[in-house]
Amino acid sequence: MIRKVGIREANRQKLIFWLCLLFLGSLSSWSAANEVVVRHHQLYLENDSLRIEVELDSLFSRRALDAIESGMITSVVYDFRVNGTRKNRILEHSILLRLEHDIWEGQYLAIRQSGLTDTLRTTSFADAEAYCAKLQNVELGVLSEDSQVMTLQMRISVNPISTEQETRTKNWLNVLRKGSLLELFISLDRPADRTNWMDIARFRNGDLK
């Protein structure tokens, strides 16, 4: 009897293991497999605030496009940071976009969150893609007076499931099998979900005035 219970538990753990792999595969973003190219960027100061305009090419990979076309909610996260020559972190800022596709109505809803919330509703995917791939007049933060050379870096994450959904799904699975192999796999960090940090510009404060 004890042996049967042990075999049953072992089989259940194997099932959970393979479900974990499938789940992680479904959550992984496609930007790591897609080369994101910075088509244009411009840095400038406005009342001591560092602002940026940036336009990307090939933001969405083929698999991400297929996920969007199927109606899956997609999140896009821009992470920016400014480092000094003394390896000190000067600024950090993130921008979150959420792209929804109503396949029944044939409409796209893009929501951008960066201090203020901005939205775009359109029936054109080209317009929705351009909205996600082009940032204009985005404030990164106040730049203090400093003569050192600074480097602006950016990385991008594209996930065919919203961050809210991912968090809820993780919590649900952890409650379902708390303390099991499932919780271990779901808690793993997946650095391949995003691009590497890219150097966008090297500058001094005075160069932008």
Side-chain angles (χ1 to χ4, degrees), residues 45-58:
L45 284 177
E46 185 176 297
N47 299 326
D48 294 328
S49 292
L50 181 65
R51 294 178 178 269
I52 187 173
E53 293 183 3
V54 62
E55 183 177 0
L56 304 179
D57 192 15
S58 304

Side-chain angles (χ1 to χ4, degrees), residues 115-134:
L116 298 176
T117 300
D118 191 20
T119 62
L120 170 71
R121 189 182 297 274
T122 178
T123 58
S124 168
F125 174 72
D127 291 345
E129 183 179 25
Y131 181 86
C132 294
K134 186 175 183 179

Side-chain angles (χ1 to χ4, degrees), residues 93-98 111-118 131 164:
H93 187 70
S94 294
I95 300 170
L96 173 64
L97 294 98
R98 176 188 176 102
I111 304 172
R112 181 188 298 153
Q113 296 175 345
S114 176
L116 298 176
T117 300
D118 191 20
Y131 181 86
E164 299 95 330

Side-chain angles (χ1 to χ4, degrees), residues 160-203:
I161 183 171
S162 71
T163 52
E164 299 95 330
Q165 285 178 314
E166 184 177 1
T167 300
R168 286 199 302 267
T169 306
K170 285 182 182 180
N171 292 338
W172 180 80
L173 288 172
N174 287 339
V175 170
L176 180 66
R177 292 294 300 169
K178 188 171 181 62
S180 69
L181 285 174
L182 187 59
E183 185 178 13
L184 172 64
F185 275 91
I186 297 303
S187 64
L188 289 177
D189 183 32
R190 304 187 304 282
D193 285 358
R194 54 182 177 257
T195 65
N196 294 324
W197 285 102
M198 299 177 285
D199 289 347
I200 302 301
R202 289 172 60 85
F203 62 96

